């Protein structure tokens, strides 16, 4: 299984290794999550330059190693520089990268996840619509098989009652009577926004001002992801 291979990937994160190297984690199109050493990347003369920064999409060539691969060539496909230069965009991009890092499996291709991530980063940069991030969280959960119940009470299945809370254990919204037993309050506008995001109305959802309802959907998405991953999404603390 050794040898050279080519693929394209998004840089999820990088960590220092020794004096001059970095370990770069990619989500690749054809090989799933890949961790590879970029040798000499921290030297000013590095052939990789600034091409391996989180959010960058690159064409890469790697040498397959036993544990870590070694990056041998990199070419920028989408620098996504605006995402690193604008703090508010960066704080909305990094939690998506962290969530993908948690969910993606090493060497298991997941083209749907790859397309979702590259699309979300592009939209975030082009439209500066920070609602991309909560929409991404909910779509990621959906891709993982978690489809929240939004059109009726998740506990008693009553569709006529007013829906006032969201319960992570039940996996959906609760009516007022059932909400007495738990769940987090959810406003009607946040619920409307979530329905738009998850049921094909993403473009209209992104046009919404990123105010109260957007923040609510974002925080709820973070909690739902953390519940699903059974760990904290550290970078989401900035949202
Ligand atoms: Zn109910």
């Amino acid at each position: 299984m050794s040898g050279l291979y080519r693929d394209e990937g998004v840089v999820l994160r990088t960590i220092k290794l020794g004096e001059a190297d970095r370990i770069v984690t990619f989500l690749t199109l054809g090989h799933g999550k890949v961790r590879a050493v970029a040798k000499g990347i921290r030297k000013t003369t590095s052939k990789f330059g600034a091409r391996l920064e989180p959010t960058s999409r690159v064409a890469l060539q790697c040498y397959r190693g036993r544990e870590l691969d070694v990056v041998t060539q990199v070419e920028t496909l989408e620098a996504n520089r605006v995402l690193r230069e604008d703090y508010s965009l960066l704080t909305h991009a990094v939690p998506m990268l962290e969530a993908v890092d948690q969910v993606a499996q090493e060497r298991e291709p997941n083209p749907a996840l790859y397309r979702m991530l590259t699309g979300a980063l592009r939209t975030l940069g082009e439209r500066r619509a920070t609602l991309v991030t909560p929409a991404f969280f909910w779509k990621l959960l959906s891709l993982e098989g978690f489809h929240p119940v939004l059109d009726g009470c998740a506990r008693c299945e009553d569709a006529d009652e007013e829906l006032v809370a969201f319960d992570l254990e039940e996996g959906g919204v609760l009516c007022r009577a059932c909400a007495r037993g738990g769940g987090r309050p959810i406003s009607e506008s946040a619920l409307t926004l979530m329905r738009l995001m998850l049921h094909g109305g993403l473009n209209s959802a992104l046009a919404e001002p990123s105010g109260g309802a957007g923040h609510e959907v974002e925080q709820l998405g973070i909690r739902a992801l953390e519940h699903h991953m059974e760990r904290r999404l550290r970078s989401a603390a900035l949202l």
Side-chain angles (χ1 to χ4, degrees):
M1 285 297 276
S2 69
L4 282 175
Y5 67 92
R6 289 175 183 277
D7 205 337
E8 64 164 83
V10 174
V11 177
L12 300 179
R13 68 188 185 118
T14 76
I15 53 172
K16 287 178 187 173
L17 179 69
E19 289 293 305
D21 309 340
R22 276 184 185 278
I23 297 174
V24 184
T25 306
F26 298 94
L27 180 71
T28 67
L29 177 59
H31 298 78
K33 189 164 82 170
V34 164
R35 297 200 313 137
V37 179
K39 288 190 173 152
I41 190 173
R42 287 157 59 208
K43 293 182 182 158
T44 47
T45 53
S46 169
K47 61 177 175 171
F48 301 123
R51 275 168 277 176
L52 292 174
E53 299 285 341
T55 72
S56 302
R57 185 168 74 90
V58 295
L60 71 158
Q61 183 179 283
C62 291
Y63 191 84
R64 192 181 285 267
R66 201 172 306 165
E67 206 164 306
L68 293 169
D69 294 355
V70 177
V71 184
T72 53
Q73 266 179 44
V74 175
E75 206 177 298
T76 303
L77 298 175
E78 276 180 286
N80 282 327
R81 194 171 293 122
V82 63
L83 297 180
R84 297 186 297 277
E85 290 173 352
D86 181 316
Y87 184 71
S88 128
L89 297 185
L90 185 67
T91 54
H92 280 83
V94 173
M96 294 198 279
L97 303 180
E98 186 186 342
V100 168
D101 191 9
Q102 288 307 314
V103 164
Q105 302 291 315
E106 292 197 23
R107 309 213 191 272
E108 274 185 33
N110 188 340
L113 178 62
Y114 186 78
R115 275 192 297 274
M116 237 175 68
L117 178 63
T118 52
L121 293 174
R122 192 174 304 134
T123 308
L124 182 60
E126 284 175 1
R127 294 180 58 175
R128 295 176 175 265
T130 51
L131 279 177
V132 163
T133 302
F136 181 84
F137 290 160
W138 285 107
K139 286 188 168 291
L140 180 60
L141 282 162
S142 185
L143 193 66
E144 288 284 294
F146 174 74
H147 306 283
V149 178
L150 299 177
D151 293 320
C153 178
R155 191 169 292 166
C156 71
E157 296 180 11
D158 196 324
D160 302 323
E161 289 298 318
E162 193 191 356
L163 302 162
V164 297
F166 191 97
D167 191 295
L168 293 172
E169 296 293 337
E170 294 285 354
V173 288
L174 298 180
C175 70
R176 196 172 292 284
C178 291
R180 283 191 201 108
R184 300 157 175 273
I186 184 170
S187 70
E188 209 181 318
S189 48
L191 187 52
T192 306
L193 190 57
M194 264 180 78
R195 286 187 182 126
L196 267 179
M197 285 174 173
L198 282 165
H199 301 156
L202 185 58
N203 264 310
S204 5
L206 293 183
E208 297 283 318
S210 55
H215 187 69
E216 232 184 298
V217 172
E218 187 166 75
Q219 290 301 313
L220 195 57
I222 293 165
R223 296 291 96 78
L225 258 181
E226 290 180 336
H227 185 78
H228 172 78
M229 303 186 308
E230 296 180 331
R231 71 181 284 287
R232 299 303 301 268
L233 193 62
R234 281 181 307 150
S235 58
L238 298 167
L239 294 177

